[in-house]
Amino acid sequence: MNTKMIRFILAKMLGVEAILLLLPALVGAVYGERDALYFLPVSAVLLVIYFIAGQRKPQNRTIYGKEGMIIVASAWILWSLFGALPFTLSGSIPYYLDAVFETVSGFTTTGSSILIDIEALPQCMLFWRSFTHWVGGMGVLVFVMVLTSLDKNNTMYLMRAEVPGPEKDKLVPKMMSTARILYAMYLGLTLIEVILLLCGGMNMFDSLIHAFGTAGTGGFSNYAASVGHFESAYIDGVITVFMILFGINFNLYFLLLLGEAKSVWKNEELRVYLGIIAGAIAIITLNISGQFPNPLKAFRYAAFQVASIITTTGYATADYNGWPMLSQCILLLLMIIGACASSTGGGIKVSRFMIVIKSIRREIKQMLHPKSVNIIKINGKKIGPDVLRVVYIYLLAYMGIVVGSILLVSIDNLDFGTTFSSVMATLNNIGPGINDVGPVGNFAEFSPLSKIVFCFDMLAGRLEIFPFLMLFTLSAWRRKF
């Protein structure tokens, strides 16, 4: 284990967070808020750590997959622990564990909240809370790669440990260039959404907050009623479209830039993703039409909520706790499936869902025709045994975490719907669940133990389980592989 290189990269990352903390301080200065001062001491401490441990590169700069996973998991934990301090120092979130929960929820783009009176927070705190979504959307390591040289020889292991999906594709031969292309597209889409929201009557601050939440598919709003606060069909429509766009594999946007539109539409995962969205919207629209004055309004709310849940954004324009059980069950299934691989969305991912379905179909064919050769293909490419093994193990680990988390959270003795959906909402990085943690509820009533479990689930879900579990595997720190 190259601990010196791990320490060097983590110190460099904390230095970047120190700079980022100056942004909400600047926002607070613009609004004349004294709370902005609480970002400065945290930033100063991080800069000291950077200057002590992040200046000299170790002689041995080689890292492998093991170090990459540990660096990624450690970075997310450290960014969350330090990022929570301004909330507690200012008194905006008095209890540090609650502040950590809120910050982990921000960086992992989950959007679950313990806040009861969101609108009472200062603007600088609301900005930092939502800006964590935008930074975490593409990944904190990818973000640091874009801003700094970090370590060009080792970026492959860092990016593979952080970018979601069963397979990690490079857009161009160099990982550093890939990271910069991804963030250029990410920034471009965010700016377009900000402009469109401004055209819909939002002010600049609200536009930035909701663009950050949409881009990172996180869902933090600066209003208790979320996007429903604006009561605007135009704003609902813009955010619906952009939630769906940010749930698409970003590699496909690169193909569009290269003029390969046909290749994009031939992408099997994209077509399944859009098909699931269309089917869910159609069924829910029919199911809830009796609760709205006309079918068009039912479609508007159904489309928004389907896009919000499948992309794991978590924004809300209606309280779906009052919808028929069929609609609630569909939304719960969408929570599990999630968005596309290599997007900012969470969940199991559509690509894994496709692999599982095709694996079941292959086994049935094999039983019917034992001598036949059946190959699993996605986008015309054979899915090798290594990828299948990783997908199956991921799903087993996923189910293990779900069961363990539900048992621990059930100690709070809340109803099953709340207990189950709170675990699914945090592990899949969605935000709201159903019942007490629905779109008009929050996570404030849970015990400290449950909040720690949720923090674990949010980090494990965002890092796709294994990088986070690697951090707690003692043998990984001792053995070379």
Side-chain angles (χ1 to χ4, degrees):
M1 177 70 69
N2 191 347
T3 54
K4 290 184 178 179
M5 195 61 188
I6 291 174
R7 188 165 57 246
F8 169 76
I9 293 177
L10 289 176
K12 205 161 186 177
M13 293 198 61
L14 292 176
V16 172
E17 187 177 20
I19 303 302
L20 294 181
L21 284 165
L22 298 178
L23 288 175
L26 180 61
V27 170
V30 170
Y31 284 96
E33 296 171 336
R34 288 180 58 83
D35 295 271
L37 297 174
Y38 293 103
F39 290 97
L40 302 181
V42 181
S43 178
V45 169
L46 293 175
L47 284 174
V48 169
I49 295 172
Y50 166 70
F51 283 116
I52 292 174
Q55 288 291 292
R56 289 186 179 181
K57 280 188 178 182
Q59 288 185 345
N60 178 14
R61 302 174 189 173
T62 304
I63 65 171
Y64 297 102
K66 173 176 62 174
E67 285 92 349
M69 288 187 178
I70 287 172
I71 288 168
V72 167
S74 300
W76 282 76
I77 292 172
L78 289 172
W79 270 45
S80 298
L81 293 176
F82 282 105
L85 287 173
F87 291 119
T88 301
L89 292 174
S90 66
S92 297
I93 304 178
Y95 299 106
Y96 182 61
L97 178 57
D98 285 347
V100 170
F101 178 96
E102 201 77 11
T103 310
V104 169
S105 182
F107 278 124
T108 59
T109 71
T110 303
S112 300
S113 181
I114 51 82
L115 294 173
I116 297 172
D117 189 5
I118 296 171
E119 292 163 39
L121 262 64
Q123 302 289 74
C124 58
M125 295 297 166
L126 289 170
F127 180 88
W128 174 240
R129 180 173 174 262
S130 290
F131 186 60
T132 56
H133 275 341
W134 195 82
V135 175
M138 275 291 175
V140 297
L141 263 296
V142 178
F143 183 77
V144 173
M145 285 180 206
V146 173
L147 295 184
T148 71
S149 59
L150 195 60
D151 190 69
K152 293 181 180 180
N153 297 324
N154 298 313
T155 52
M156 176 180 68
Y157 296 108
L158 300 175
M159 200 163 174
R160 282 181 177 175
E162 190 174 54
V163 175
E167 293 185 283
K168 320 299 180 187
D169 297 324
K170 292 192 293 183
L171 303 183
V172 293
K174 293 183 179 180
M175 276 290 187
M176 189 71 74
S177 299
T178 293
R180 287 175 179 157
I181 291 169
L182 285 172
Y183 252 99
M185 295 187 291
Y186 186 52
L187 177 61
L189 283 171
T190 305
L191 291 175
I192 293 170
E193 185 183 0
V194 169
I195 293 168
L196 291 174
L197 291 176
L198 287 170
C199 294
M202 273 194 187
N203 60 44
M204 177 57 77
F205 186 81
D206 288 350
S207 297
L208 287 171
I209 293 295
H210 290 88
F212 289 157
T214 308
T217 60
F220 276 155
S221 174
N222 52 330
Y223 296 104
S226 189
V227 178
H229 167 85
F230 300 99
E231 296 183 348
S232 166
Y234 172 83
I235 288 173
D236 289 359
V238 169
I239 293 179
T240 298
V241 170
F242 275 89
M243 286 191 292
I244 294 171
L245 291 176
F246 281 108
I248 293 172
N249 189 326
F250 268 70
N251 295 346
L252 300 183
Y253 293 126
F254 186 64
L255 290 176
L256 278 178
L257 292 175
L258 296 177
E260 298 182 23
K262 288 184 179 179
S263 299
V264 172
W265 180 243
K266 287 180 181 178
N267 184 273
E268 207 172 341
E269 184 185 32
L270 174 64
R271 287 187 278 119
V272 171
Y273 168 71
L274 295 177
I276 291 171
I277 290 173
I281 290 173
I283 295 171
I284 292 177
T285 299
L286 291 172
N287 193 228
I288 66 172
S289 58
Q291 298 185 4
F292 295 93
N294 57 69
L296 192 60
K297 201 159 190 177
F299 172 80
R300 168 186 159 188
Y301 288 106
F304 186 95
Q305 218 54 66
V306 166
S308 179
I309 295 298
I310 195 170
T311 61
T312 70
T313 304
Y315 279 140
T317 53
D319 182 7
Y320 52 76
N321 274 333
W323 289 2
M325 188 53 63
L326 174 61
S327 295
Q328 291 188 48
C329 287
I330 290 172
L331 292 177
L332 194 61
L333 289 172
L334 296 179
M335 289 181 188
I336 298 170
I337 295 171
C340 298
S342 297
S343 70
T344 61
I348 288 176
K349 301 291 183 298
V350 173
S351 56
R352 286 197 183 94
F353 176 73
M354 290 167 59
I355 288 171
V356 170
I357 296 299
K358 291 192 175 191
S359 295
I360 294 171
R361 189 169 62 185
R362 183 184 67 171
E363 289 304 311
I364 292 172
K365 285 183 178 179
Q366 200 73 44
M367 290 176 184
L368 292 172
H369 308 285
K371 294 183 179 180
S372 64
V373 177
N374 298 292
I375 299 171
I376 296 175
K377 289 184 177 181
I378 291 183
N379 297 323
K381 294 180 182 178
K382 178 184 175 182
I383 301 298
D386 289 343
V387 174
L388 291 175
R389 180 180 60 83
V390 170
V391 169
Y392 299 151
I393 293 173
Y394 169 87
L395 292 174
L396 285 172
Y398 176 91
M399 291 306 300
I401 292 173
V402 168
V403 172
S405 298
I406 288 174
L407 289 175
L408 289 171
V409 174
S410 67
I411 295 172
D412 288 352
N413 204 31
L414 298 173
D415 66 273
F416 180 75
T418 298
T419 302
F420 178 76
S421 67
S422 63
V423 170
M424 301 310 294
T426 49
L427 183 58
N428 292 306
N429 305 130
I430 297 158
I434 58 174
N435 292 356
D436 292 356
V437 291
V440 297
N442 57 56
F443 288 69
E445 66 180 316
F446 286 96
S447 67
L449 173 62
S450 292
K451 288 172 184 174
I452 292 171
V453 171
F454 293 144
C455 287
F456 176 91
D457 288 348
M458 287 187 283
L459 287 164
R462 176 57 183 84
L463 298 180
E464 307 234 302
I465 299 174
F466 294 111
F468 196 60
L469 293 183
M470 181 74 76
L471 188 64
F472 302 100
T473 306
L474 294 177
S475 59
W477 293 88
R478 294 194 300 263
R479 292 159 56 185
K480 293 182 179 180
F481 62 95

